[in-house]
Amino acid sequence: MTPLWTSDEIAQATGGTASTAFEVTGVTFDSREVEPGFLFIAMPGTVHDGHTFVDAAFAAGAAGAVVSQIVNGPHVLVDDTFAALQALGREARQRCNATIVGVTGSVGKTSTKEALYAALGRCRPGKVHRSVKSYNNHTGVPLSLARMPRDAEYAVLEMGMNNKGEIAGLTRQVRPNVALITAIAPAHIETLGSEEAVADAKAEIFEGLEPDGVAIIPNDSAHRDRLLKAARRRADQITTFGGGDADVHAVHAVSAEGGGSLISAALLERELTFTISQRGEHWVSNALAVLAAVEALGEDVAVAGLALADLGGLKGRGERHMIAVDGGEVLLIDESYNANPASMAATLKSLGAEKDVARRIAVLGPMRELGEHSGALHAGLAPAVLDAHVDELILIGDEMRPLAEQVIGKLSLDLANDVDEATKELAAKIRPGDAILVKASNSVGLARLVERMVKEGACST
């Protein structure tokens, strides 16, 4: 196997000194992710210093480490391990000839990244790299770059932010050939102040575009023209996707047998009819964005469409589980990873569209990082809850009280103090045939509710 990095290459890229010769097949800064042959980067931390876990990394099979203090085991000694990670990312981008797609947005960026990875992977098997999980920040992006194989032909890298200027820094590391924005919503509005500022922060992705770069923009966004203006400064080509007069749009989209959607789409060069396995109108938009990127890259959109039909459930982002209960089963829809007003409304609409269910239950936790807008935005979810014909609503925490005040008396409502209490209330309510939606910002910890229910007896669908 061709090594991902040799000790000499690591030392040269980082300006460090190798204690001995070694080769690595992977990179991580989390000792729990170490596999045999990996490079462990001992990152500084606010709670724990990565050097504390060097011995554990070697015990797990690490072939080497990047450290700022001498350790027992093969290592490259540097002055600053975070700077070393960034240097490895820059060198990986420099040495690889892969075409890079950068993805950002307030809603759907991880799902779209995964779908695009699957689509390109169907076109070029084994030659596509991506950022895993949501490794999309100042440490995750250089790590994703450092993990990029030398012979990758494509890479799909996600970029996120909390503040102005963060994506600008990330996109200059990634240097995308294609930059895609999925949607704009009031996520991170607490720090940025307005949706317009959110749009401007996301539009920073265009600042890193390579010459002849392509910008892909949501046509349905209220901030489309703002995004277009930013893209024109850097992009050689701009493609819009979504509804209306979008360059890539759905001519027809109807529910498909067994879930998902059957879509006839007009692309720049052709029309395509395909099926997506994921449910909800928001996934129609995601699929159009994916096909816009695939077409911009010159790959076979029909082959990409096959990949979208086969795309499985994404953990925390719509993964579906059938849970065994007394007398039958219930459907659990896991949307526990993230939440903002747009994604809440979209997934509630999908819950309302579920067919052949006895009751619809929604377990909803707070949407975080909304600042002074939090109360109004939580209260604003009421129409989506009511339109989804939710029979049982379990809300978690004081931040959800504005929503509770809007729907009290209109459906069965329970307020839980925390996830553990919500789990107990849900367990007492469920009946065979129920469909349950679980959604909140990741920091709420609703994944624990999902894990408990799955552990007690479930099969994924």
Side-chain angles (χ1 to χ4, degrees):
M1 179 184 296
T2 302
L4 182 63
W5 294 97
T6 68
S7 53
D8 285 345
E9 290 170 338
I10 297 167
Q12 184 173 357
T14 62
T17 303
S19 65
T20 188
F22 60 87
E23 297 179 345
V24 301
T25 56
V27 184
T28 186
F29 48 62
D30 186 340
S31 61
R32 296 166 296 183
E33 293 183 352
V34 171
E35 297 179 13
F38 269 39
L39 175 71
F40 175 66
I41 302 179
M43 296 277 284
T46 56
V47 179
H48 300 291
D49 187 329
H51 292 84
T52 305
F53 303 99
V54 169
D55 288 343
F58 281 128
V66 172
V67 294
S68 59
Q69 60 192 50
I70 295 175
V71 298
N72 293 322
H75 64 270
V76 173
L77 184 65
V78 300
D79 292 333
D80 183 328
T81 54
F82 173 59
L85 172 63
Q86 291 182 308
L88 281 180
R90 287 193 298 270
E91 177 61 23
R93 179 66 179 92
Q94 182 66 30
R95 75 182 186 181
C96 183
N97 292 322
T99 300
I100 311 290
V101 182
V103 180
T104 193
S106 303
V107 185
K109 57 182 176 291
T110 301
S111 299
T112 300
K113 178 255 299 181
E114 291 293 325
L116 182 53
Y117 169 74
L120 291 174
R122 185 69 67 93
C123 297
R124 301 292 180 94
K127 296 296 183 180
V128 185
H129 174 66
R130 79 191 188 286
S131 48
V132 299
K133 301 180 182 178
S134 285
Y135 279 175
N136 62 19
N137 62 6
H138 66 291
T139 56
V141 167
L143 177 65
S144 298
L145 285 167
R147 289 173 164 177
M148 185 161 57
R150 304 167 188 266
D151 62 348
E153 296 182 15
Y154 289 111
V156 187
L157 301 177
E158 180 180 335
M159 286 172 265
M161 60 85 192
N162 292 310
N163 294 286
K164 179 181 178 181
E166 290 180 350
I167 287 181
L170 298 177
T171 191
R172 290 190 178 100
Q173 295 178 54
V174 172
R175 292 165 34 217
N177 303 96
V178 176
L180 189 162
I181 296 179
T182 57
I184 302 298
H188 311 301
I189 201 170
E190 179 179 16
T191 55
L192 291 168
S194 68
E195 271 198 32
E196 289 78 11
V198 173
D200 291 341
K202 297 297 184 182
E204 291 171 9
I205 193 172
F206 303 133
E207 295 179 15
L209 268 174
E210 289 285 271
D212 302 322
V214 179
I216 299 177
I217 290 173
N219 197 58
D220 300 325
S221 174
H223 309 288
R224 182 196 66 173
D225 291 346
R226 200 178 193 94
L227 298 176
L228 284 170
K229 183 178 180 180
R232 288 190 186 109
R233 300 189 188 108
R234 301 279 182 168
D236 183 68
Q237 175 186 329
I238 300 174
T239 300
T240 58
F241 70 91
D245 60 351
D247 298 317
V248 176
H249 62 273
V251 179
H252 300 290
V254 297
S255 297
E257 185 176 350
S261 298
L262 175 65
I263 304 168
S264 292
L267 310 179
L268 288 176
E269 301 294 335
R270 60 171 292 181
E271 290 193 0
L272 178 72
T273 298
F274 64 102
T275 301
I276 57 173
S277 58
Q278 308 297 324
R279 292 164 168 82
E281 291 181 4
H282 57 297
W283 263 103
V284 175
S285 179
N286 291 347
L288 294 173
V290 167
L291 291 180
V294 170
E295 188 176 44
L297 295 168
E299 293 294 343
D300 191 332
V301 292
V303 173
L306 295 175
L308 293 175
D310 293 338
L311 189 66
L314 305 178
K315 184 177 176 62
R317 295 179 171 86
E319 188 174 21
R320 298 162 71 87
H321 303 276
M322 296 306 300
I323 310 290
V325 298
D326 289 342
E329 293 179 323
V330 299
L331 168 65
L332 177 66
I333 305 169
D334 177 12
E335 287 276 358
S336 62
Y337 190 81
N338 209 352
N340 56 54
S343 64
M344 276 282 200
T347 50
L348 282 163
K349 188 172 183 178
S350 294
L351 176 65
E354 289 290 337
K355 298 178 180 179
D356 302 321
V357 298
R359 299 180 304 165
R360 296 176 179 86
I361 301 176
V363 183
L364 306 180
M367 305 177 291
R368 296 279 162 80
E369 299 184 30
L370 298 178
E372 63 182 18
H373 306 277
S374 178
L377 291 173
H378 281 94
L381 296 175
V385 170
L386 298 174
D387 289 347
H389 305 292
V390 171
D391 298 289
E392 299 275 355
L393 180 63
I394 300 174
L395 301 177
I396 302 172
D398 288 340
E399 291 160 283
M400 301 302 288
R401 290 189 180 277
L403 172 57
E405 292 169 1
Q406 297 296 314
V407 299
I408 192 167
K410 300 175 182 178
L411 45 67
S412 177
L413 172 66
D414 289 281
L415 284 170
N417 291 315
D418 53 34
V419 171
D420 290 338
E421 187 175 319
T423 303
K424 292 177 183 177
E425 291 186 7
L426 177 62
K429 289 179 179 295
I430 54 177
R431 304 172 191 165
D434 286 345
I436 306 162
L437 169 66
V438 177
K439 190 167 182 65
S441 286
N442 189 43
S443 60
V444 176
L446 264 178
R448 298 200 308 273
L449 180 153
V450 175
E451 290 167 2
R452 177 174 170 181
M453 292 194 69
V454 170
K455 185 177 180 181
E456 291 178 355
C459 58
S460 298
T461 63

